[in-house]
Amino acid sequence: MELAVIGKSEFVTGFRLAGVRKVYETADIAATESVVKSVLEDKSVGILVMHNDDIGNLPEMLRKNLNESVQPTVVALGGSGSGSNLRDKIKQAVGVDLWK
């Protein structure tokens, strides 16, 4: 299983320098949407890393597919909504809201 990273240049550069081979640099939402669809179909990808803001800009149906995806597992990093997203992910995995 491989790690894939999708995002803008400033987001993916560190992953590229760390040796991640499947790095997809996108400039706009249309390119991001296209690359996400192709990575979701790639059976060799086990983990998909994206910026939380980029995920938020995707069409609703594609966001739903990412949130429910088991393989690849989608990891959202950074962005303005990352705290609540982490809370939702933990709630979905554990079955209870640990912040209450």
Side-chain angles (χ1 to χ4, degrees):
M1 290 292 154
E2 291 195 54
L3 175 71
V5 182
I6 301 172
K8 295 180 177 68
S9 174
E10 57 272 6
F11 181 74
V12 301
T13 300
F15 292 98
R16 185 176 282 132
L17 291 172
V20 176
R21 288 182 278 162
K22 293 195 177 220
V23 175
Y24 304 95
E25 188 174 319
T26 57
D28 58 23
I29 193 62
T32 302
E33 184 178 347
S34 173
V35 172
V36 167
K37 288 178 182 177
S38 67
V39 168
L40 285 175
E41 294 175 3
D42 186 349
K43 298 300 180 195
S44 70
V45 175
I47 299 174
L48 170 60
V49 179
M50 291 182 67
H51 195 278
N52 200 38
D53 292 344
D54 289 339
I55 292 174
N57 291 330
L58 292 172
E60 184 177 344
M61 195 61 168
L62 188 53
R63 274 196 322 263
K64 184 178 178 188
N65 288 345
L66 288 175
N67 285 332
E68 295 174 354
S69 177
V70 174
Q71 185 174 346
T73 299
V74 179
V75 177
L77 299 177
S80 55
S82 59
S84 64
N85 189 23
L86 177 61
R87 181 178 182 175
D88 292 340
K89 291 276 189 188
I90 292 172
K91 185 177 175 183
Q92 180 180 6
V94 177
V96 294
D97 190 352
L98 298 177
W99 273 265
K100 285 188 175 185

